[in-house]
Amino acid sequence: MKALIVIDVQNDFCPGGALAVPDGNTIVPGINALMADFDTVILTQDWHPAGHSSFASTHGADPMSMMDMPYGPQVLWPEHCVQGTDGALFHADLNTDRADLIVRKGYNPAIDSYSAFFENDQKTPTGLEGYLHTRSISDLVLVGLATDFCVNFSAVDAAKLGFNVAVKNDLCRAIDFDGSLDGALTGMKQAGVEIV
Ligand code: VGL
Ligand code: ZN
């Protein structure tokens, strides 16, 4: 069984949003069309409490600076996808009716979560692995935002967990910060993710 996983197609990651990914909105029609090829569609939603530890403002630091967290280095982001705000909503044109499951992540105040499977400590699970296994889903296609962060970490974790994973790159857009896109593409290929 296969599933389409749509990563973080939310207002704050689209032009005009707090952490806008260039052209992030332009992938929405293609993602909606691709849903027709899948019995199972899963959406992820970045969902941070106000004052989240991944926000630069929480530490009086500059956005896009780095900070050493107990679980490793962390990029400090502009405030984005705060629970209950318009920025955290899915893009208005995204077809959310087809979603069997919406996975929220990043709600732990102390740990960021790029991946749909594990928080950034790489061990606290979101529950998605169990959901997929109990539904006998073994093949995953990932699309969404951002290629180099949440799509990348989700795809690599999925491959490590033994799923067959493809990232449809034309339906992803990247932040591309400090070489992050090249690093992500290399890392995903090394992990056995198919880039199509
Ligand atoms: C993301 C940075 C911070 C993403 C989420 O969805 O790629 N990036 N939070
Ligand atoms: Zn986030």
Side-chain angles (χ1 to χ4, degrees):
M1 300 282 278
K2 61 174 186 169
L4 177 65
I5 303 186
V6 180
I7 305 286
D8 296 3
V9 178
Q10 294 166 258
N11 290 331
D12 270 343
F13 296 124
C14 291
L19 179 38
V21 180
D23 296 328
N25 58 313
T26 61
I27 62 176
V28 173
I31 292 173
N32 288 340
L34 187 61
M35 290 179 184
D37 296 348
F38 290 82
D39 290 328
T40 301
V41 175
I42 295 166
L43 310 179
T44 72
Q45 189 173 25
D46 210 39
W47 193 249
H48 300 302
H52 191 257
S53 58
S54 75
F55 295 166
S57 57
T58 301
H59 309 280
D62 291 331
M64 313 311 283
S65 61
M66 298 293 300
M67 186 163 188
D68 284 318
M69 299 290 187
Y71 54 82
Q74 167 73 47
V75 182
L76 295 180
W77 301 105
E79 292 177 24
H80 65 278
C81 298
V82 174
Q83 296 170 1
T85 64
D86 287 350
L89 297 178
F90 292 111
H91 187 287
D93 296 336
L94 183 71
N95 179 3
T96 58
D97 294 349
R98 278 296 321 276
D100 288 359
L101 177 73
I102 297 174
V103 180
R104 287 179 168 166
K105 59 185 183 62
Y107 44 71
N108 182 340
I111 311 179
D112 203 3
S113 189
Y114 296 147
S115 165
F117 292 91
F118 296 101
E119 297 185 349
N120 284 9
D121 62 0
Q122 302 193 345
K123 52 177 188 268
T124 307
T126 62
L128 180 58
E129 180 190 7
Y131 177 88
L132 295 172
H133 281 150
T134 52
R135 289 197 56 193
S136 304
I137 294 167
S138 54
D139 292 53
L140 306 176
V141 175
L142 272 65
V143 296
L145 306 170
T147 322
D148 37 353
F149 288 92
C150 291
V151 175
N152 170 33
F153 281 76
S154 299
V156 169
D157 279 351
K160 282 186 191 162
L161 290 169
F163 294 96
N164 299 317
V165 191
V167 167
K168 202 164 164 24
N169 203 20
D170 62 329
L171 293 178
C172 298
R173 289 293 181 273
I175 294 172
D176 201 9
F177 158 66
D178 204 13
S180 55
L181 179 56
D182 283 346
L185 291 171
T186 305
M188 285 193 281
K189 285 177 200 155
Q190 271 169 5
V193 174
E194 202 187 343
I195 311 290
V196 296

